[in-house]
Amino acid sequence: MEHEEYRENPVDDLKERVLELAKRRGFLWPSYEIYGGVAGLWDYGPLGTLLKQKVENAWREIFVVGEGALPIDTPTISVEEVFLASGHLSNFVDLIVECVNCHVTLRADHVVNDYLRGRGIAADLCAPDIAEACVPSREKTQELIDFYGITCPDCGGPLGEVHDFNLMFATHIGPGTQRKGYLRPETAQGIFSDFPKLLRFFRDRLPFGVAQIGKSFRNEISPRQGVIRLREFTQAEIEVFVNPDKKSIHPRFDEVADVEIEILSKDFVGRATVKAACDRGIIAHQYLAYYVARSQEFFLRVGVHESQLRFRQHLPDEMAHYAVDCWDAEGLTQHGWIELAGIADRTDFDLKQHERQSGLQMTVFVPYAKPESVERTVVRPKMDFLGPKYKNKAKQVADYLATISDPIGPFIFEGQEIDPLGYVIETATQSVLGDFITPHVIEPSFGIDRTVYTILEHAYDEDTIDGERRIVLRLPRGLAPIEVAVFSLVKALNEKAVEVFQLLRAEGFLVEYDDSGTIGRRYRRHDEIGTPFAITIDHETVENGTVTVRDRDTTKQIRRPIASLAATLREMLERGFTVSSL
Ligand code: GAP
């Protein structure tokens, strides 16, 4: 990669230096610092916001424009029914334990793991070398605390009982009704809740993809790893709805077949093309493999180093409750391997659950090539019973029963079991035109904040220029928050420099004019925020209308006429030309 080859000096305390730079230069700030701050909540300063927006735009280019996954935007507050259906109310838990003495609340599995690791006991509750902690059983964790007599790591006091702690933030919607609500822990459920409308929008045809980017919330127990584990964070998710019989063939697989990825799975460790991974059954099918490859394309485009990116398959006991195969894109940072994205086959789990909870059909009619005569087990509604029992809802109940393709009761309508006297299950010969199927969902889900942090770590470098130490952020050029800096060599040229600054701003560049300090200091200031090009107005500018263009990475300079400056910069920013190649 263009930005990778320059890294000169790996530093030991990289994560501290990156965070120091990020705070000092307005990329990342702890939120509410004037009130002491809150773990897990971080602000993006001006430069961080610009960088984050560019990362999100790269994601849009690849997945919204390139894949046609059209975006929707649903509320961050969701009603309780959504999470009853999705399973988050019962399953989205971590284990906590409270110290009886100092009353600190701790993540129970972390306490046990730290204790065992500290004593060299190889009894990790989860698989070794994984970025995300999986959730071990409550019983197992309690057993280990009791067996080893593990005490509070803070005060040495005894620990209480291990409990489940649901990670969702609960709220009430409106003052009077006290309708329960939750801040969404993933953007995906907003998409699933809209499935019937989305299906109509996409003219009842599979496959189609829907994208959503926005805030998600998780009440993490003790988010200590800086900006890695947040309580409010941005997710960029795509839900691709696909016919389950067609998952093995992705129509555009040829475009990515030769993409090489670094794989860590139970059956294979090493580099392989996504085609080989698919053919050898390492990745379950082409749809997953396709999105693994596109995810890599996204990460490389935004500056994650290829040598520090891998795809790790979830172990069966680590998989989310809804997934059958899941791959994490992990970036290597000084915090270790961190999960940047999860690419999962969620099967029909969510749609089936929402169908049960809402009583609304979440299926797609898939026509056969020609009508078929088939014997079927069907559910026949009995209107003479349903009418008096369900009154004005009777037709809706009957319609729902008539569409059931998998007639194993009980059948739930609007959260209530339908009275079995209201239908019969029987065998019938039918001429059928097609089938109602529940689509499967392939989901690439990206954590934007962790991606931004990883980009900062991978871009951070220090080198020596003219005997002086400098920090340089070797961001991909198109991603830099400020694209061009404009300086004047001497005060007398300030006016001309402002003119060039305004010209470039009018051309649409993110440009900053800087006339304070020596020219060397101005270069350094922009090197450390990753500004790829610095324009200097000097005496020659007045004579022949040219300026110098300095390249952040090599510090080489070329002269260019002001008249063609915008075109030169655009070529270097967008088409990857370097100062040396022009
Ligand atoms: N809809 C699927 C889903 O939410 P996930 O693996 O839990 O899957 C997706 O989350 C991504 O969101 C993760 O890969 C990670 O990058 C990011 N993420 C999850 N929890 C996070 C947290 N507490 N702080 C920052 N990012 C987080």
Side-chain angles (χ1 to χ4, degrees):
M1 296 298 296
E2 147 234 327
H3 46 279
E4 203 164 355
E5 63 201 30
Y6 295 109
R7 185 185 273 276
E8 281 186 1
N9 305 302
V11 281
D12 292 338
D13 53 350
L14 185 59
K15 61 179 191 288
E16 285 79 15
R17 291 193 198 197
V18 169
L19 211 54
E20 186 280 325
L21 174 71
K23 287 183 191 171
R24 182 165 51 79
R25 296 307 312 270
F27 284 91
L28 292 164
W29 292 323
S31 302
Y32 311 116
E33 226 176 358
I34 59 167
Y35 298 110
V38 189
L41 296 182
W42 282 75
D43 299 343
Y44 284 87
L47 296 184
T49 304
L50 287 168
L51 175 62
K52 181 170 179 258
Q53 283 170 349
K54 289 194 170 190
V55 171
E56 292 170 357
N57 285 343
W59 176 85
R60 282 189 191 97
E61 273 163 31
I62 293 177
F63 294 102
V64 179
V65 180
E67 295 303 313
L70 296 185
I72 65 167
D73 193 358
T74 67
T76 53
I77 302 174
S78 308
V79 294
E80 187 175 34
E81 291 88 328
V82 170
F83 303 116
L84 279 168
S86 69
H88 282 88
L89 266 173
S90 43
N91 295 325
F92 197 56
V93 291
D94 275 343
L95 299 176
I96 53 168
V97 66
E98 193 184 314
C99 170
V100 175
N101 185 41
C102 71
H103 300 291
V104 65
T105 301
L106 302 155
R107 186 90 187 244
D109 49 318
H110 287 184
V111 172
V112 173
N113 267 334
D114 291 349
Y115 177 91
L116 298 180
R117 271 198 215 111
R119 280 154 188 79
I121 306 168
D124 270 18
L125 291 172
C126 301
D129 195 23
I130 65 170
E132 281 290 289
C134 60
V135 182
S137 78
R138 182 150 44 91
E139 294 73 24
K140 177 81 188 159
T141 310
Q142 185 73 63
E143 194 185 303
L144 287 166
I145 289 179
D146 295 344
F147 182 80
Y148 287 103
I150 299 172
T151 53
C152 172
D154 289 0
C155 76
L159 295 174
E161 293 280 302
V162 175
H163 290 287
D164 284 346
F165 174 74
N166 196 296
L167 296 181
M168 286 194 295
F169 286 95
T171 185
H172 290 287
I173 304 171
T177 60
Q178 295 293 295
R179 188 168 186 189
K180 258 191 163 177
Y182 293 90
L183 296 185
R184 65 184 180 197
E186 58 173 4
T187 67
Q189 294 304 326
I191 299 179
F192 300 138
S193 306
D194 273 348
F195 178 76
K197 288 174 278 191
L198 288 165
L199 180 62
R200 233 171 295 136
F201 178 89
F202 285 97
R203 302 210 205 108
D204 296 290
R205 268 186 234 137
L206 296 176
F208 64 84
V210 181
Q212 176 152 223
I213 189 160
K215 294 283 193 176
S216 290
F217 305 83
R218 298 183 186 180
N219 203 359
E220 300 283 355
I221 292 159
S222 40
R224 278 183 229 146
Q225 294 165 288
V227 293
I228 307 295
R229 191 167 293 280
L230 299 173
R231 288 178 163 140
E232 175 174 339
F233 54 98
T234 299
Q235 280 189 320
E237 305 201 280
I238 302 116
E239 311 299 323
V240 184
F241 297 91
V242 57
N243 183 333
D245 293 340
K246 299 200 169 160
K247 284 195 293 195
S248 57
I249 306 288
H250 189 286
R252 290 171 61 191
F253 192 69
D254 282 354
E255 291 175 29
V256 302
D258 296 331
V259 169
E260 268 200 11
I261 55 167
E262 185 68 29
I263 291 176
L264 176 62
S265 81
K266 61 182 184 334
D267 300 322
F268 178 81
V269 178
R271 286 192 82 74
T273 63
V274 290
K275 177 162 175 13
C278 237
D279 292 348
R280 291 163 62 180
I282 300 165
I283 302 181
H285 47 72
Q286 278 194 6
Y287 260 85
L288 262 184
Y290 180 82
Y291 284 102
V292 164
R294 288 288 181 221
S295 303
Q296 172 155 294
E297 181 185 338
F298 163 70
F299 286 121
L300 299 189
R301 188 178 296 181
V302 295
V304 173
H305 289 180
E306 192 164 4
S307 58
Q308 290 166 274
L309 178 67
R310 73 179 184 192
F311 290 87
R312 189 183 62 78
Q313 188 173 36
H314 279 205
L315 297 168
D317 62 352
E318 182 199 348
M319 207 109 65
H321 56 275
Y322 47 73
V324 290
D325 189 15
C326 186
W327 290 79
D328 282 349
E330 294 182 341
L332 183 60
T333 67
Q334 267 213 339
H335 293 277
W337 286 100
I338 60 171
E339 183 197 328
L340 305 178
I343 302 120
D345 179 348
R346 292 181 79 129
T347 66
D348 55 10
F349 176 85
D350 299 274
L351 292 183
K352 282 238 160 94
Q353 290 294 104
H354 283 295
E355 187 169 79
R356 275 188 206 117
Q357 183 71 33
S358 68
L360 292 173
Q361 202 183 338
M362 300 269 176
T363 54
V364 182
F365 182 74
V366 179
Y368 297 143
K370 57 180 179 27
E372 284 179 17
S373 221
V374 287
E375 282 224 324
R376 278 221 168 131
T377 310
V378 294
V379 184
R380 182 166 56 79
K382 287 170 67 185
M383 277 318 281
D384 53 343
F385 180 86
L386 294 176
K389 170 109 189 172
Y390 292 101
K391 307 214 163 42
N392 61 347
K393 292 257 167 146
K395 183 166 173 349
Q396 266 174 282
V397 176
D399 287 349
Y400 169 63
L401 287 169
T403 60
I404 289 170
S405 54
D406 184 15
I408 299 170
F411 307 119
I412 309 294
F413 181 77
E414 293 186 347
Q416 300 286 323
E417 183 183 344
I418 299 172
D419 192 327
L421 295 174
Y423 56 85
V424 282
I425 296 177
E426 59 189 20
T427 307
T429 305
Q430 294 180 329
S431 169
V432 286
L433 305 174
D435 225 347
F436 284 96
I437 60 152
T438 309
H440 280 203
V441 173
I442 311 302
E443 176 195 68
S445 168
F446 297 84
I448 295 295
D449 313 86
R450 288 183 184 177
T451 304
V452 169
Y453 175 77
T454 306
I455 293 165
L456 286 174
E457 249 206 34
H458 289 191
Y460 184 97
D461 199 7
E462 292 180 16
D463 62 7
T464 305
I465 298 293
D466 300 332
E468 203 189 309
R469 201 87 185 129
R470 72 163 180 165
I471 295 173
V472 53
L473 213 50
R474 301 190 194 281
L475 294 167
R477 295 194 187 102
L479 213 73
I482 304 296
E483 291 160 348
V484 192
V486 177
F487 311 141
S488 60
L489 193 61
V490 289
K491 233 183 182 152
L493 297 168
N494 282 3
E495 206 175 307
K496 186 72 190 161
V498 170
E499 217 178 273
V500 173
F501 158 72
Q502 279 165 348
L503 177 137
L504 292 177
R505 182 181 258 182
E507 287 281 345
F509 292 97
L510 275 159
V511 53
E512 203 172 273
Y513 168 70
D514 187 353
D515 61 10
S516 63
T518 65
I519 196 85
R521 283 196 55 191
R522 282 179 262 170
Y523 283 144
R524 303 287 169 272
R525 269 206 294 272
H526 277 275
D527 287 342
E528 68 175 14
I529 62 166
T531 308
F533 305 112
I535 310 294
T536 302
I537 289 37
D538 57 15
H539 298 294
E540 231 182 293
T541 310
V542 187
E543 284 161 26
N544 61 13
T546 63
V547 294
T548 61
V549 182
R550 174 187 177 272
D551 176 88
R552 169 199 73 198
D553 292 320
T554 59
T555 73
K556 281 193 188 135
Q557 303 197 18
I558 49 169
R559 286 204 84 86
R560 279 291 176 275
I562 293 172
S564 61
L565 192 56
T568 303
L569 292 171
R570 207 157 276 133
E571 280 188 325
M572 294 199 290
L573 273 173
E574 288 168 14
R575 296 171 62 190
F577 289 3
T578 60
V579 160
S580 322
S581 68
L582 277 176

